[in-house]
Amino acid sequence: MDTAIVRVLLESTVKIALFFFVMLTVVAYMTWVERRVSAWIQDRRGPNRVGPLGLLQPLADGIKFLFKEEVTPPHVYLPVYLLAPMLIFVPALVTFSVVPIGPSLDLLGHRIALQIADVDNGILIVLAFSSMGVYGVALAGWSSNNKYSLMGGLRSSAQLISYELAMGIAIVGVLMATGSLRLSDVVEHQIQNGWNVLYQLPGFLVFLTAAFAETNRMPFDLPEAETELVAGYHTEYSGMRFSMFYMAEYANMVTASALVVTLYLGGYHVPGLARLGLPETAAAIVQVLAFCAKVAFFLFLYVWVRWTVPRFRYDQLMNLGWKGLLPIGLANVLWVSFLVLKGWA
Amino acid sequence: MVLLLGLIAVVAVFALARTFVPARTVPVGAALGAVMVALVAYDHQELASLEFWSGLIGFVAIMSALLVVIHPNPMVSVLFLILNLFCIALFFLILNAQFLAVIQVIIYAGAIMVLFVFVVMLLNLKAEEGLRLGGGPQRSGAVVLGVAFAALMFYAIRNRGAAPYFEPESFDSGFGTARGIGRLLFTRYQFAFEAASILLIAAMIGAVVLAKRKLR
C-alpha cells in the first residue's frame, strides 16, 4: 500500500482510539456527576467514600459490574437478547465520529482535522445512526419475553418515531441557513454569520427537546419508567450487559450535547478569539476547551432537568411531539426560509 | 475471486456443521476461522479490489433476503430485512451515490423497519411451527413463476450489452451528492417528483379518512 493510505489509516486509528478513551472516561464520570448533582439537588451527600469527593466511585462501579454474575433468564430469545445491548451502544459512539471538536491544525508537518471523519453527508449520518438506536431498546424489550419489558420497547419505538420527525424538521432550518450537509461547514457558517441559536431559537428549543426524548432521559424516560414498568426494556439484563445500557445512555447524552453545540452554538467557536492574535496551536487548544465547556453545560442541563421535572404521561408525550414540537419546527423552517430569502442568514 | 469464493465456502461449511453436528460447533468454528485467516494471508491483494467487496456484500444481501423468507420467527425476519437494506445502501455507496445510501438507511432501515418492529411487537406474533406451505395452485404457481424468473435472469446476464457509454471529460463525480440529486429532482424529473408528492398526500388523506370513519 502506498504511504498516503497508511498515513490516513494511522491518523484515523489514533483519533478513534483517543476518542474512545475520552468518551468512556466522560461516560464513567457522568455517572458520578449524576449522583453528586442529584444528591446536591435533594440536599443529600451522594457518593463521597471512594477516593477524594468520591471521585474513584466509577472505577469501583466498573469493577463491580465486571465481577457480577450475568443472569440469563431461561425465557429470553437468546440471539436477539445478546444483540440488543450492542445495538444500542454502537450507534451512540458512531454518531460522534462526524462531529468536529476543533479547527484543523498543523501537527508534525501534517494538516490534521480535529474530527474523525469529515464526510459530505455529516448531518444525514447523524440522523441515520440516531434512528438505529431505537432497535437496541425495542429489541431488548421484545427478546426479554417479559410484559413490562415489551411495554417499554413499544413505548420507545413510538416515542422515537415521533421525536425523530421533530428533530429532522429542526435540522432542516440549520441546513437551509448553511447550504451544506457537512458539519464542519455548519460550524464555519456560524463563525462567519453568528451562532444559529440567535437566528432560530424555536428550532434550537425543538431540537433540544427532541434530543432529550431521543436519549430516553427524564422527562421522557417512559420506556424505563421504574415506577410503572420495573425498569422497562432492561429489566432482564444484569452484570456487564446491563452496564452496556447504562453506558449507552450517557454516551447518547454526550453525543446529543455535542450535536446541539455543533448545530446551534457555534461548535468550537469562541467569539473574539481571532482578535487576540494567539499562535495557531494555542488558539486550537482554547477552541477545543470551549467545545468541551459547552458540551459540559448541556450534560449538566441533562442532569439538572432529570432531577427537577417529573415524567410525562404517555398521551402528554404524544401531544407534545405531534401537536407542539412539529408545528413549531415547521414554523421555524418558514422563518429561516424568510431569512434566507432576505439574505440575512 | 479465490478469497471471495473461499470465504463463501467457509460460511456454507459452518452453516452445515451447525445444522448437522451442533455439538461440534465450537471446534469446527475455530478450524474454519483458521482457514479464513489462511485465505486472507494467501490472497490479501484481493482485499483492495472492488469485485471482492461487491461480491461479499451481494452474498450477504442474498443470504439475508433468503433468511427473511425462511426464518420461522417474524422478528428475526425483520432483522434480516434490515441487514438486507443495509447491504443495498452499501451498493449505493460503491456506485458513488452517497446521498442515496444515507437516505436508504434513514428511510428504510431507520423509519419503515421501526414500524415493522412496532407492529410485530404490538401483535405479539409467535414463531411459526415448521415451514408453512401454501395450497396446490399457490405452490405450482410459485414453481412456474420461479422458473420463469430464473430463465429471464439467465437470459439477461447472457445477453448483456456493452458497458454504458462513459466519457471521462464530462463525468460529474458529484452526481450522487445531495446537490446533484436535488438539481435532478427539480429540473429533469420535476413532473415525476410533483406527481409522487400529490400521490403521497392523497394516500395520507385517505388513511386519515378511513381511520376516522367510525368516529363520525
Side-chain angles (χ1 to χ4, degrees):
Chain A
M1 280 188 276
D2 55 303
T3 46
I5 297 180
V6 173
R7 201 180 71 80
V8 169
L9 281 180
L10 203 67
E11 191 188 311
S12 311
T13 315
V14 170
K15 276 190 217 166
I16 290 170
L18 205 66
F19 152 73
F20 205 68
F21 173 74
V22 171
M23 186 72 154
L24 290 186
T25 314
V26 170
V27 164
Y29 273 92
M30 271 315 290
T31 65
W32 176 80
V33 169
E34 172 103 45
R35 281 177 280 177
R36 290 293 290 199
V37 172
S38 71
W40 175 53
I41 289 174
Q42 298 175 338
D43 204 14
R44 296 183 284 116
R45 284 185 192 280
N48 62 355
R49 296 287 118 177
V50 195
L53 295 172
L55 272 172
L56 296 179
Q57 185 70 40
L59 213 62
D61 284 340
I63 293 171
K64 188 192 85 171
F65 275 131
L66 274 176
F67 284 99
K68 257 188 138 173
E69 183 189 357
E70 298 215 33
V71 184
T72 307
H75 51 76
V76 299
Y77 188 76
L78 202 62
V80 179
Y81 176 81
L82 297 180
L83 186 70
M86 303 175 207
L87 274 184
I88 195 167
F89 196 51
V90 170
L93 295 179
V94 173
T95 313
F96 205 96
S97 63
V98 294
V99 176
I101 58 168
S104 55
L105 76 167
D106 284 315
L107 207 68
L108 309 172
H110 293 302
R111 195 85 192 151
I112 289 180
L114 294 179
Q115 181 180 14
I116 293 176
D118 191 10
V119 284
D120 214 21
N121 292 324
I123 296 183
L124 293 179
I125 289 194
V126 168
L127 282 177
F129 279 98
S130 75
S131 62
M132 288 294 107
V134 61
Y135 287 119
V137 178
L139 292 175
W142 176 80
S143 67
S144 293
N145 265 334
N146 165 334
K147 60 183 167 191
Y148 296 116
S149 300
L150 188 68
M151 289 286 290
L154 266 176
R155 283 183 182 184
S156 92
S157 40
Q159 175 177 327
L160 289 180
I161 292 172
S162 318
Y163 281 80
E164 216 159 70
L165 218 61
M167 194 177 223
I169 295 283
I171 288 179
V172 167
V174 175
L175 290 186
M176 286 201 307
T178 313
S180 165
L181 295 166
R182 201 182 273 268
L183 280 173
S184 53
D185 285 350
V186 172
V187 174
E188 198 56 41
H189 177 264
Q190 294 181 75
I191 292 175
Q192 304 296 337
N193 302 308
W195 295 359
N196 277 334
V197 64
L198 303 174
Y199 300 108
Q200 22 187 314
L201 193 61
F204 168 71
L205 293 175
V206 169
F207 187 86
L208 191 64
T209 318
F212 271 81
E214 293 268 307
T215 46
N216 284 330
R217 288 281 295 191
M218 256 328 183
F220 299 101
D221 69 338
L222 282 113
E224 31 183 313
E226 66 279 359
T227 39
E228 325 159 20
L229 296 182
V230 196
Y233 58 90
H234 56 56
T235 306
E236 303 286 9
Y237 286 86
S238 54
M240 220 40 212
R241 280 180 216 140
F242 165 73
S243 105
M244 290 272 266
F245 284 110
Y246 198 54
M247 290 197 294
E249 178 179 336
Y250 288 96
N252 267 320
M253 276 162 61
V254 176
T255 306
S257 307
L259 282 176
V260 173
V261 169
T262 307
L263 291 177
Y264 290 99
L265 291 172
Y268 51 80
H269 176 51
V270 183
L273 187 72
R275 253 174 266 143
L276 289 179
L278 289 171
E280 199 192 25
T281 317
I285 291 172
V286 171
Q287 284 172 319
V288 171
L289 288 179
F291 180 79
C292 295
K294 290 179 198 174
V295 172
F297 170 74
F298 280 100
L299 288 175
F300 178 74
L301 185 72
Y302 265 107
V303 176
W304 186 8
V305 168
R306 172 169 179 184
W307 297 99
T308 316
V309 183
R311 182 182 302 133
F312 279 117
R313 226 171 43 223
Y314 192 71
D315 57 322
Q316 292 172 328
L317 176 94
M318 285 295 147
N319 276 341
L320 178 69
W322 292 100
K323 297 180 186 164
L325 294 185
L326 204 59
I328 298 175
L330 287 171
N332 181 60
V333 168
L334 280 180
W335 163 242
V336 176
S337 44
F338 172 72
L339 287 183
V340 171
L341 203 64
K342 287 280 181 186
W344 290 338
Chain B
M1 280 308 269
V2 179
L3 183 57
L4 180 62
L5 294 177
L7 290 182
I8 291 174
V10 165
V11 172
V13 171
F14 184 70
L16 287 178
R18 267 207 62 175
T19 321
F20 292 112
V21 275
R24 297 260 184 280
T25 307
V26 174
V28 169
L32 290 176
V35 173
M36 265 187 180
V37 173
L39 272 174
V40 173
Y42 170 70
D43 194 5
H44 61 92
Q45 291 295 329
E46 203 182 310
L47 280 182
S49 72
L50 195 59
E51 285 78 19
F52 172 72
W53 289 108
S54 47
L56 191 66
I57 297 165
F59 177 68
V60 176
I62 291 174
M63 280 300 129
S64 54
L66 274 179
L67 281 165
V68 171
V69 185
I70 293 172
H71 206 283
N73 193 322
M75 190 60 109
V76 180
S77 290
V78 169
L79 290 182
F80 276 115
L81 189 50
I82 297 170
L83 182 63
N84 183 265
L85 293 168
F86 256 101
C87 291
I88 292 170
L90 285 178
F91 271 128
F92 279 133
L93 209 55
I94 287 179
L95 295 171
N96 203 8
Q98 326 119 353
F99 181 72
L100 277 187
V102 187
I103 288 298
Q104 166 90 5
V105 173
I106 293 180
I107 304 287
Y108 285 98
I112 293 181
M113 294 317 291
V114 173
L115 281 179
F116 275 49
V117 169
F118 187 76
V119 170
V120 171
M121 273 167 46
L122 195 68
L123 302 179
N124 206 3
L125 296 175
K126 293 280 183 282
E128 293 168 4
E129 282 156 19
L131 275 181
R132 205 182 35 183
L133 292 170
Q138 192 187 353
R139 201 183 304 183
S140 46
V143 169
V144 169
L145 286 179
V147 169
F149 183 68
L152 185 67
M153 290 312 282
F154 188 71
Y155 179 78
I157 292 170
R158 278 293 296 276
N159 295 292
R160 64 173 187 264
Y165 185 61
F166 176 70
E167 204 174 77
E169 292 83 41
S170 65
F171 177 69
D172 175 19
S173 66
F175 72 92
T177 58
R179 202 178 294 273
I181 294 207
R183 195 163 286 151
L184 275 183
L185 273 185
F186 285 102
T187 54
R188 196 164 149 198
Y189 298 109
Q190 188 169 24
F191 178 73
F193 178 73
E194 300 289 354
S197 63
I198 289 175
L199 197 65
L200 282 175
I201 283 273
M204 215 155 78
I205 293 173
V208 171
V209 168
L210 283 179
K212 291 278 180 188
R213 184 183 278 162
K214 283 206 188 98
L215 293 184
R216 225 184 306 132

